[in-house]
Amino acid sequence: TPMTIDAKYWTEAQATGGGRNGVAKLASGMLTVTMASPKELGGSGAGHNPEELFALGYAACYLGAMRFAASSEKLGTVPEDATVTAHVGIGPRSEGGFGLKVKLVVALPGLERDVAEKIVERGHFICPYSNATHGNIEVETELA
């Protein structure tokens, strides 16, 4: 049975044009992005693409989730200079259609490795992006 989500926040975005080649904008008017397929996928590369936006969101969300997990579970303190670098790849799936792959590179300077590993693990439990992708796409996490 699917988990019940009690959504506390909603956002709204609209894509126009060709989707990957067009414009995507938030209903709030706070962000409008010109979209263009990357050269590697036969596009002009003269804009942004959904994978870039997904990478931005996942990196920010996962860093916040690690901070939340570390604090709420008393695992230690995530250093101020901690970083998450999200690498997002897209390509054809063996079953047809397209799929994503993600590699998250986490830097937690100054933390003992065992503490850092526990925070990285618990971050995945908290992060809605990790929960959404779990079992659906390959997500590799590397502790730098």
Side-chain angles (χ1 to χ4, degrees):
T1 59
M3 231 179 252
T4 303
I5 308 295
D6 179 16
K8 301 294 186 194
Y9 167 77
W10 288 86
T11 189
E12 183 181 335
Q14 184 179 69
T16 57
R20 286 184 164 272
N21 295 290
V23 173
K25 62 183 178 182
L26 294 179
S28 68
M30 301 270 300
L31 179 65
T32 299
V33 181
T34 299
M35 305 296 285
S37 290
K39 289 181 178 178
E40 296 85 346
L41 297 180
S44 70
H48 297 286
N49 60 69
E51 292 69 40
E52 289 175 326
L53 302 177
F54 185 71
L56 287 169
Y58 202 162
C61 189
Y62 184 68
L63 179 56
M66 287 192 304
R67 289 192 187 287
F68 182 89
S71 171
S72 65
E73 299 179 22
K74 309 216 180 332
L75 302 173
T77 303
V78 173
E80 279 304 307
D81 58 349
T83 61
V84 173
T85 304
H87 303 260
V88 175
I90 182 173
R93 298 180 336 135
S94 55
E95 306 84 11
F98 291 86
L100 299 174
K101 291 175 85 165
V102 174
K103 180 178 182 180
L104 300 175
V105 180
V106 179
L108 298 170
L111 282 189
E112 305 241 347
R113 185 140 191 112
D114 60 333
V115 173
E117 285 172 354
K118 185 67 175 171
I119 290 171
V120 164
E121 174 195 328
R122 296 305 292 164
H124 281 302
F125 178 78
I126 299 294
C127 180
Y129 280 69
S130 293
N131 285 315
T133 59
H134 185 75
N136 295 313
I137 67 173
E138 180 186 327
V139 176
E140 177 188 348
T141 310
E142 178 184 303
L143 186 54

